[in-house]
Amino acid sequence: MVFLNGEFIKKNQAHISVMDRGFLFGDGVYEVIPIYNGKIFRLDEHLLRLQTSLDSIKIKNPYSPKKWDSILNKLLKFYNNQEQSIYLQISRGISNKRQHSFSNLTPTVYIESNILLTKTKETLRTGFSAITQPDIRWSRCDIKSTSLLANVMYSQQAKEKNVEEIILYQNTQVTEGATSNVFMIKNNTLYTHPTNVHILSGITRDLVLESAKAYHISIQETSFSIDELNTADELWISSSTREIMPITKVDNKLINNGHIGNVWSRVYDYYQSLKNV
Ligand code: PDD
């Protein structure tokens, strides 16, 4: 079952108009929210970011936080799996003519949920590979927009090259991953790009910073270069579907001689402990 514009219906019965601006222009925003033990994880934070995205592109939020909570929990009742990933998208709605500018429309709201397959700590211990690419995206990466053409092409490249992620850089400085945030540990300090228009402010990123604080690890929300990345003691990526993953090889160069690090292990445990709260 899925949710479309106020109704819970079967996925194969969910249809939208070809005049929907989400289809014509990628004119919409979205959220991906993990469900652990049947409970929505960090819902308030996701709803807050959704509101920020909607405000940025001048779409009125169709529901209150309370209503969102109730819709999402109703949808989850149709699923048995304890670990899910909710995909929620709001497009500007249906216009009667294809033109770039817009007037006030009724937003299209679509929500589905899929099984979330998280990796065990044992599986993560092998570490993952990434490659670097120049960041060609626009300068509003803070908006969780459904216009994802660059990210789509990067992810396809990752699939074809058999790597976990593409790490992006602007003028030698690492911004984020194609679908994740990026962190480096160097001399016991955690580095990650500051939240601004060049990255998405990840909900998992906040959680990583929260756990670093809890472990008294010093934090530098400053960008770091590709050269610094190559000499990192540890490198991780984070997202709502991947949690926190260690990267041990970038562009065929080993990070920390190909070993995952101790700090990752602690931060990973911290994340796991929050799932049951
Ligand atoms: N993407 N940066 C980008 C470009 C992303 O696409 C994502 C997540 C993140 C991490 O954000 P969060 O921790 O809130 O998931 C950072 C989701 C999972 C997606 O597009 O499917």
Side-chain angles (χ1 to χ4, degrees):
M1 296 294 269
V2 300
F3 177 91
L4 181 63
N5 297 331
E7 283 184 303
F8 295 94
I9 52 177
K10 288 206 174 118
K11 196 172 186 171
N12 60 9
Q13 284 165 0
H15 301 292
I16 58 157
S17 162
V18 291
M19 293 311 289
D20 193 284
R21 292 181 57 97
F23 174 65
L24 291 174
F25 294 109
D27 186 357
V29 296
Y30 75 107
E31 279 296 323
V32 176
I33 315 173
I35 311 299
Y36 297 119
N37 298 311
K39 280 196 287 186
I40 307 174
F41 193 64
R42 302 263 153 155
L43 178 61
D44 293 351
E45 289 81 353
H46 282 279
L47 289 180
L48 211 61
R49 185 173 65 185
L50 178 66
Q51 186 64 56
T52 309
S53 294
L54 287 168
D55 290 345
S56 307
I57 66 163
K58 299 184 174 171
I59 293 181
K60 197 168 171 286
N61 195 335
Y63 304 123
S64 66
K66 215 169 141 200
K67 181 77 180 166
W68 278 115
D69 190 332
S70 132
I71 293 170
L72 298 179
N73 278 299
K74 264 191 204 146
L75 181 69
L76 287 175
K77 291 216 168 76
F78 294 106
Y79 297 85
N80 295 323
N81 256 72
Q82 292 292 293
E83 303 221 329
Q84 298 274 335
S85 154
I86 285 180
Y87 175 77
L88 175 173
Q89 113 157 38
I90 303 170
S91 74
R92 194 176 304 279
I94 299 159
S95 51
N96 47 20
K97 186 166 159 241
R98 182 195 175 269
Q99 60 180 22
H100 290 66
S101 61
F102 52 85
S103 48
N104 259 345
L105 300 171
T106 308
T108 302
V109 181
Y110 174 69
I111 317 170
E112 63 171 38
S113 189
N114 295 291
I115 294 177
L116 178 63
L117 293 172
T118 49
K119 292 190 161 62
T120 61
K121 195 169 188 184
E122 276 320 299
T123 341
L124 291 167
R125 275 187 194 287
T126 52
F128 295 84
S129 304
I131 53 177
T132 56
Q133 284 286 302
D135 193 344
I136 58 159
R137 301 172 305 161
W138 71 330
S139 298
R140 285 310 304 272
C141 295
D142 55 319
I143 303 172
K144 203 159 169 64
S145 160
T146 54
S147 308
L148 287 171
L149 204 43
N151 310 63
V152 164
M153 296 314 289
Y154 287 131
S155 294
Q156 181 60 21
Q157 192 184 11
K159 186 176 155 189
E160 286 167 7
K161 299 244 154 105
N162 202 19
V163 294
E164 181 62 32
E165 182 60 303
I166 308 285
I167 293 178
L168 305 173
Y169 60 89
Q170 272 175 26
N171 307 321
T172 74
Q173 299 294 299
V174 172
T175 49
E176 62 178 340
T179 60
S180 62
N181 291 116
V182 178
F183 303 84
M184 166 179 96
I185 293 278
K186 185 76 188 170
N187 301 329
N188 297 316
T189 297
L190 177 69
Y191 294 85
T192 195
H193 194 284
T195 50
N196 59 23
V197 293
H198 299 301
I199 68 160
L200 181 77
S201 177
I203 306 300
T204 325
R205 177 186 180 280
D206 283 346
L207 230 144
V208 170
L209 296 181
E210 188 183 305
S211 66
K213 273 184 205 131
Y215 291 129
H216 306 290
I217 297 161
S218 74
I219 298 169
Q220 287 284 335
E221 287 187 71
T222 49
S223 64
F224 52 90
S225 69
I226 292 286
D227 283 347
E228 287 170 304
L229 175 148
N230 285 328
T231 63
D233 297 333
E234 298 188 27
L235 192 67
W236 323 323
I237 56 168
S238 78
S239 85
S240 293
T241 44
R242 286 187 177 111
E243 304 183 341
I244 307 152
M245 285 178 107
I247 301 293
T248 46
K249 201 188 208 185
V250 178
D251 298 333
N252 282 325
K253 288 186 221 89
L254 294 179
I255 305 291
N256 190 28
N257 294 318
H259 300 299
I260 60 154
N262 295 333
V263 189
W264 170 78
S265 178
R266 287 155 72 198
V267 170
Y268 174 89
D269 289 345
Y270 180 93
Y271 188 100
Q272 301 307 310
S273 71
L274 292 176
K275 288 183 179 179
N276 303 313
V277 176

